[in-house]
Amino acid sequence: MPRLTPRRIVTGITFLIVASLGVSLLSGDDSQGAQVYAAKRSHPRARAMDVMRDREQGHGIQKRKAPKQPEPSVVDRKLNAVVPKRDDEEKQKSQDQIPNIVHFFWLTDQEFGFHHLLSVLSAHKLLGAEEIMFHAAAKPKGRWWKEAEAVPTLSLIPWGSDAPEKVSRQMEVRARLESLMQHGGIYLGTDTIALRPFGELRRLDCVMGRTGDGLSDQVLLASQDASFLKTWYKTLLQGKFKEAIEVAAKQPDLLHVEDTRLTRPRWTDWWDLSNLYREGETVDFSDSYAIQLAYDQYNLGHTPDSILTLDSTFGRIARTVYHGAPELKKSEKKVAEPNTNAVVPNIVHYLWFGEKDFQLHNLISMMSARQQLKAPIMFHTDAEPAGRYWAEAKLIDELTVVECEAPNATLGETVEDAILQILREEGGIYLDADVIVVKPFDNLMKYDVTMGRSPHGLSFSTVIAKKKAYFVQKLQKMRKTRSEEFDWEELALGAAVDRPDLVHVEESALSRPRLSDWMDPSLLFVENDSGWSDNFAIKLFYDLYAQDHNQYDIVNLRTTFGQIARSVYYGSPRLITDGSQPRLYPRDDYVVPNVVHYVWLTCHDFRFHHLLSVLSAHRYIKPDHIYIHSDCAPSGHNWEVAKEKIGEILEVVPAEQPEEIFGNPIHNIPHRSDITRMDVLLKQGGIYLDWDVFAFKSFDPLRRYDYVMGNEIAGLNNGVILSKPNAEFLRIWYDNYRHFDDGKWNFHSVMEPWRLASEHPNLIHMELTGLSRPDWTDWWDMKRVWNEDVLEDWSEAYAIHFIYSYHNEEHNPEDIKRMRGTFGEMARWVYYGQKEAIED
């Protein structure tokens, strides 16, 4: 279930370092970055890359041909059909191995942006590509594509007549590999800029670049007959797709790896991808062949005009590609200058339309405005809110409720129309009801208009304007010329680029502390980061991640939002505690029923590892019953073996897949399984196990706790849960699904219980390693249990969640007899009752 990302890995490593030092999560540590970096460099993928690098000589690598097979397999015959024979092979060896042909793939329906154009132009201007083959599922859209089409060496290549609506990762990789094996050349991602000719790299057989945790496939150079491509392609034909890092780790001599020169100039860039875009910061890319932008994560809306005066690394790169020179040009347009004194009236406006709950964060927004700005508050609404927090809000000094009509959607009116009209008539400060004011706006109120940046343009969450400001009037006039469908933020940015003298733009201080926060706006609710205090204001985006917090649970909420909320509501960001740390104590008697539950949704194969899991529960937990809650009963040989070995206590219980929870739709089968296991445990209690969990000993010591889960690097592992019926912690967790988002993979199932455990430590017992992995570092290398050269010590574990999808190969009672490594030991312990290899 857990899906790891570089950000969550770094978060988990940071947690471990802080925990081992006994330092509060709220305190800082100057040495922490070095420790995180050291841990990152010890990552098994990094070690695999080091092995490859050690085999290289300087920047060159000797080409090794794949061994010939006397009788090609079916897969090899398919490969030979894709890869044409080369008559001039000996002649080719004395020349460049890789043709100067650039391939792009466009398998999306998004608009072709300016940065995509820069990527194409870089291939034409800086690589001097003889041909640019632009493979597309559909012709790109947008104004910048027209300019790309004008590149004389570019040809649009249709990607299949029956291209699917959704392109999988495997399909995308296969398309790239087949194109390179047919033509050879250079694959460039449309998010990558080529910086200079790839001369020396084109003399090699196959080349890729490194990323923070593996290999980047955004730049791939290969000859037509590159052995690495063939080996990688075989994994697709055999239905056992592997990523490039996995192929390279086994055969590193088939691939030349550029350490940083094809991706980002510095390793540390992978932890802060936004550094290319920060004004006044220069990243030295002079030694790089190419650079990966990660532009779509920020969507800054640049144009040929805006890059002329852009004082950032991206600005230098973009000017070099588009204008032919990196020099910063002084803007001919004046920028907004502050007046001597404040020109904006010190009055705060809120808009509140429709019947909706007035929650704690709305109250905190208004309290922060009053505390920091010392301004009267005008609350414009068509229906006065109700409830406990609105009653408290009405006690704020100088609050006035102003009746007004909501925008008429049928006439195309929007909230932005209402904001601009109020500011034009009255001037002042408009705040969204989930914006927290962090410090006074004194300096900002000297400008005629101030707005903050957003990923798409200028944000309307905080707008500071004098009465009848010309920029406000300009936006209203531009709005009249637009069709019904347009983006207000893009409109405002366009107006600011056209007349920068009319508006002062705050890059991040009116929205989020860091540009990188726009990658994941939920960070305020899952991380503990004190870097918010330098902002003027913080935009919460609370409705996306609403938790229905109250004044009590923010007391010990260990997140950035917790800090902010306590600062406003209680006057201090510090955790409020009486010095004691409540915990859940075991009871004298067992409270968790000795019953094991599995969930089996949809019809699919009952595989050997499923058999091992249920056998481990039967052999070592010794439950009274094993229930399989299913909408399609298991079948097949392994299932028959399970029934024979376990007997009557193994029972299939009919279950329907939940399609929604609290009105929120559930489409993903794993998320439906999450809900089903919670429903079962709330009603019956017991022990829930995922199908890729092995139990190794009795759970009786844990059955004395009301509720138990195990830790993992990204939160709590919901693959093993012990619960008494209707456990209070489980009820709180279940109730949080009122805000369920099916698009967030493990936010509700893994990260949320971790957050709740920090708030309710007296309701849950957490096992650090006993219910997940025997060693924390296993979560950084999920395949370690299948490494035949590694033996983990799992003797103290109650159970191990080995996440079989990272291995996904089939085994049987015979091959595990002599299988080396941790998984072989565990499988024999479950099936045969011994760890040692078995010789027939």
Side-chain angles (χ1 to χ4, degrees):
M1 183 73 184
R3 178 176 296 165
L4 300 184
T5 68
R7 177 175 292 279
R8 290 175 182 151
I9 290 174
V10 173
T11 302
I13 297 171
T14 304
F15 164 74
L16 290 174
I17 294 169
V18 174
S20 66
L21 293 174
V23 179
S24 167
L25 283 173
L26 288 173
S27 65
D29 185 348
D30 294 338
S31 66
Q32 193 178 69
Q35 296 178 52
V36 171
Y37 179 78
K40 191 75 171 180
R41 292 294 298 122
S42 67
H43 189 290
R45 289 188 176 181
R47 294 198 298 270
M49 302 305 299
D50 291 337
V51 171
M52 290 184 278
R53 188 174 57 194
D54 290 342
R55 296 193 183 193
E56 299 172 9
Q57 300 295 325
H59 293 298
I61 186 170
Q62 186 174 5
K63 176 184 173 184
R64 171 180 141 182
K65 296 179 65 178
K68 295 183 178 179
Q69 300 291 336
E71 295 184 5
S73 64
V74 174
V75 172
D76 289 328
R77 289 197 293 273
K78 289 184 179 180
L79 272 170
N80 292 334
V82 174
V83 184
K85 297 293 183 181
R86 300 288 296 273
D87 296 328
D88 58 339
E89 185 175 358
E90 292 303 319
K91 181 180 178 181
Q92 180 70 14
K93 290 181 180 178
S94 64
Q95 303 172 355
D96 288 338
Q97 294 287 314
I98 300 172
N100 198 17
I101 299 172
V102 174
H103 303 266
F104 289 97
F105 277 83
W106 189 261
L107 310 180
T108 177
D109 59 356
Q110 73 177 107
E111 187 168 327
F112 190 85
F114 179 61
H115 66 291
H116 300 133
L117 170 63
L118 292 177
S119 183
V120 172
L121 292 180
S122 73
H124 173 57
K125 295 181 178 181
L126 301 183
L127 287 185
E130 298 168 8
E131 182 179 4
I132 299 175
M133 303 179 71
F134 199 93
H135 309 263
K139 186 175 181 179
K141 301 174 291 185
R143 56 182 285 204
W144 304 116
W145 172 246
K146 294 181 180 179
E147 197 164 335
E149 280 187 304
V151 173
T153 56
L154 183 141
S155 55
L156 185 64
I157 312 295
W159 184 68
S161 57
D162 57 347
E165 292 184 7
K166 186 174 182 180
V167 179
S168 68
R169 167 70 178 159
Q170 289 89 333
M171 295 168 64
E172 189 173 356
V173 171
R174 180 168 183 158
R176 297 177 193 173
L177 295 183
E178 289 180 348
S179 182
L180 288 173
M181 288 191 295
Q182 184 175 357
H183 303 283
I186 304 161
Y187 165 74
L188 277 186
T190 53
D191 190 45
T192 297
I193 304 292
L195 301 173
R196 60 186 173 105
F198 290 175
E200 64 182 44
L201 300 182
R202 290 177 47 225
R203 299 188 182 97
L204 307 174
D205 202 35
C206 192
V207 184
M208 295 181 75
R210 291 185 70 169
T211 67
D213 62 350
L215 293 178
S216 168
D217 61 357
Q218 292 305 296
V219 183
L220 174 56
L221 294 80
S223 62
Q224 285 178 273
D225 57 353
S227 298
F228 183 80
L229 294 191
K230 292 182 179 181
T231 304
W232 193 4
Y233 191 64
K234 279 185 180 181
T235 70
L236 286 162
L237 296 183
Q238 294 170 339
K240 299 178 180 179
F241 173 69
K242 298 181 183 299
E243 293 291 353
I245 181 64
E246 302 172 77
V247 179
K250 292 184 177 180
Q251 294 184 284
D253 53 344
L254 299 184
L255 179 70
H256 171 74
V257 176
E258 278 293 326
D259 202 33
T260 57
R261 297 193 296 175
L262 283 177
T263 51
R264 282 295 181 105
R266 303 173 302 194
W267 267 98
T268 53
D269 292 348
W270 292 105
W271 304 330
D272 184 8
L273 294 171
S274 65
N275 62 357
L276 294 185
Y277 307 104
R278 284 200 288 270
E279 294 277 343
E281 182 169 331
T282 300
V283 176
D284 181 11
F285 57 86
S286 58
D287 194 41
S288 296
Y289 287 105
I291 198 162
Q292 193 169 324
L293 298 179
Y295 193 92
D296 288 336
Q297 296 178 357
Y298 307 104
N299 194 18
L300 300 174
H302 291 116
T303 67
D305 289 336
S306 69
I307 64 174
L308 288 172
T309 57
L310 194 60
D311 185 19
S312 66
T313 303
F314 173 76
R316 291 172 57 205
I317 295 172
R319 287 191 295 272
T320 300
V321 173
Y322 195 88
H323 296 293
E327 288 77 18
L328 184 68
K329 294 186 179 181
K330 187 176 180 180
S331 176
E332 297 178 358
K333 298 179 179 179
K334 295 181 179 179
V335 297
E337 298 288 346
N339 296 282
T340 305
N341 299 309
V343 293
V344 176
N346 192 28
I347 185 171
V348 175
H349 302 277
Y350 285 92
L351 295 181
W352 187 274
F353 298 124
E355 295 182 1
K356 51 188 176 182
D357 292 338
F358 191 90
Q359 300 179 53
L360 176 65
H361 70 283
N362 305 130
L363 170 63
I364 289 174
S365 175
M366 295 178 64
M367 290 178 64
S368 72
R370 182 61 187 167
Q371 291 169 7
Q372 298 295 335
L373 303 179
K374 306 293 192 292
I377 297 174
M378 308 297 290
F379 194 85
H380 306 264
T381 181
D382 63 340
E384 184 174 331
R388 179 246 186 277
Y389 294 115
W390 175 245
E392 190 169 346
K394 290 198 293 183
L395 300 177
I396 295 175
D397 291 339
E398 296 191 76
L399 171 68
T400 303
V401 177
V402 181
E403 292 185 9
C404 68
E405 294 184 0
N408 191 331
T410 59
L411 299 178
E413 296 175 353
T414 66
V415 172
E416 288 80 5
D417 286 311
I419 294 170
L420 294 176
Q421 188 60 30
I422 288 173
L423 292 178
R424 177 176 181 172
E425 295 176 355
E426 302 180 31
I429 302 163
Y430 167 77
L431 298 176
D432 273 356
D434 67 341
V435 167
I436 310 298
V437 180
V438 177
K439 62 182 180 182
F441 290 179
D442 293 351
N443 292 333
L444 302 181
M445 295 173 71
K446 294 178 181 179
Y447 294 94
D448 289 3
V449 178
T450 300
M451 297 181 72
R453 281 303 305 263
S454 76
H456 300 287
L458 297 187
S459 171
F460 279 76
S461 62
T462 303
V463 185
I464 307 167
K466 73 175 186 179
K467 185 178 180 178
K468 297 182 180 179
Y470 186 74
F471 186 77
V472 171
Q473 297 181 55
K474 179 180 177 65
L475 290 179
Q476 290 181 310
K477 290 178 182 178
M478 293 175 67
R479 187 257 191 277
K480 293 179 181 179
T481 65
R482 296 298 190 273
S483 61
E484 290 186 4
E485 295 185 5
F486 72 96
D487 189 304
W488 270 105
E489 293 186 351
E490 291 181 359
L491 179 75
L493 179 60
V497 170
D498 181 54
R499 290 294 304 272
D501 57 316
L502 299 180
V503 59
H504 170 69
V505 176
E506 283 288 332
E507 286 296 322
S508 60
L510 282 178
S511 50
R512 286 299 179 97
R514 301 163 304 198
L515 188 61
S516 57
D517 286 353
W518 292 107
M519 297 166 55
D520 186 0
S522 70
L523 291 179
L524 293 183
F525 303 98
V526 297
E527 287 191 354
N528 185 26
D529 178 10
S530 59
W532 52 272
S533 57
D534 290 334
N535 268 44
F536 288 105
I538 298 283
K539 169 72 172 174
L540 297 180
F541 296 100
Y542 194 92
D543 290 342
L544 297 178
Y545 312 99
Q547 308 299 314
D548 282 344
H549 291 111
N550 57 53
Q551 72 270 35
Y552 306 112
D553 62 25
I554 65 171
V555 166
N556 288 305
L557 193 60
R558 297 176 182 271
T559 63
T560 305
F561 172 73
Q563 290 188 14
I564 296 171
R566 286 190 296 273
S567 294
V568 176
Y569 198 86
Y570 292 111
S572 171
R574 296 178 61 83
L575 290 173
I576 301 172
T577 177
D578 59 3
S580 62
Q581 282 296 322
R583 52 169 294 191
L584 180 64
Y585 291 94
R587 299 181 184 273
D588 294 334
D589 300 317
Y590 298 127
V591 291
V592 175
N594 196 26
V595 174
V596 172
H597 301 279
Y598 288 91
V599 174
W600 182 272
L601 300 181
T602 75
C603 300
H604 53 286
D605 293 340
F606 193 84
R607 301 171 61 182
F608 184 61
H609 71 279
H610 300 142
L611 170 62
L612 290 177
S613 178
V614 74
L615 288 180
S616 75
H618 177 243
R619 179 189 286 266
Y620 297 112
I621 298 178
K622 296 180 171 45
D624 299 328
H625 293 281
I626 299 177
Y627 295 120
I628 306 205
H629 304 268
S630 175
D631 64 340
C632 182
S635 60
H637 171 72
N638 289 319
W639 175 245
E640 294 303 319
V641 173
K643 291 193 295 183
E644 178 183 347
K645 287 182 174 290
I646 296 173
E648 295 180 353
I649 69 168
L650 179 64
E651 181 180 346
V652 177
V653 179
E656 294 183 0
Q657 293 188 31
E659 297 181 352
E660 58 87 23
I661 182 167
F662 296 116
N664 303 305
I666 312 171
H667 303 294
N668 286 310
I669 297 298
H671 290 167
R672 293 181 175 185
S673 174
D674 293 339
I675 303 304
T676 302
R677 73 190 67 169
M678 296 172 80
D679 281 333
V680 168
L681 291 176
L682 279 170
K683 295 173 184 175
Q684 303 177 32
I687 302 164
Y688 168 79
L689 299 179
D690 266 354
W691 287 103
D692 49 3
V693 168
F694 287 169
F696 297 125
K697 61 183 180 181
S698 171
F699 282 21
D700 284 354
L702 302 179
R703 292 176 52 223
R704 298 182 185 276
Y705 294 95
D706 289 4
Y707 191 84
V708 183
M709 292 180 75
N711 294 72
E712 67 164 70
I713 199 168
L716 294 185
N717 171 25
N718 74 334
V720 182
I721 304 173
L722 288 81
S723 177
K724 73 174 186 179
N726 201 32
E728 186 174 357
F729 184 89
L730 186 56
R731 284 192 286 107
I732 294 172
W733 181 17
Y734 189 89
D735 192 60
N736 264 263
Y737 273 76
R738 294 180 185 277
H739 315 291
F740 174 69
D741 180 356
D742 195 48
K744 297 184 76 66
W745 179 247
N746 66 349
F747 180 80
H748 299 275
S749 58
V750 175
M751 298 167 72
E752 271 297 87
W754 168 256
R755 180 186 69 82
L756 293 172
S758 68
E759 297 178 23
H760 306 283
N762 59 317
L763 300 181
I764 180 174
H765 171 70
M766 292 183 287
E767 281 287 321
L768 186 62
T769 58
L771 288 178
S772 51
R773 288 295 183 103
D775 188 326
W776 266 94
T777 56
D778 288 354
W779 291 104
W780 310 329
D781 182 6
M782 303 302 290
K783 299 184 178 182
R784 187 184 300 189
V785 294
W786 292 283
N787 188 330
E788 295 186 354
D789 298 322
V790 174
L791 281 178
E792 295 281 1
D793 180 11
W794 46 274
S795 59
E796 299 299 321
Y798 287 100
I800 286 184
H801 189 190
F802 47 86
I803 308 186
Y804 203 80
S805 59
Y806 282 86
H807 178 63
N808 211 30
E809 295 183 8
E810 198 58 48
H811 296 288
N812 57 62
E814 289 301 313
D815 73 359
I816 66 171
K817 287 182 177 180
R818 292 169 295 279
M819 186 177 182
R820 295 166 53 213
T822 307
F823 185 81
E825 274 195 352
M826 296 190 302
R828 285 190 294 274
W829 181 250
V830 171
Y831 200 85
Y832 295 108
Q834 70 176 69
K835 298 180 182 179
E836 297 76 16
I838 300 172
E839 299 294 337
D840 293 332

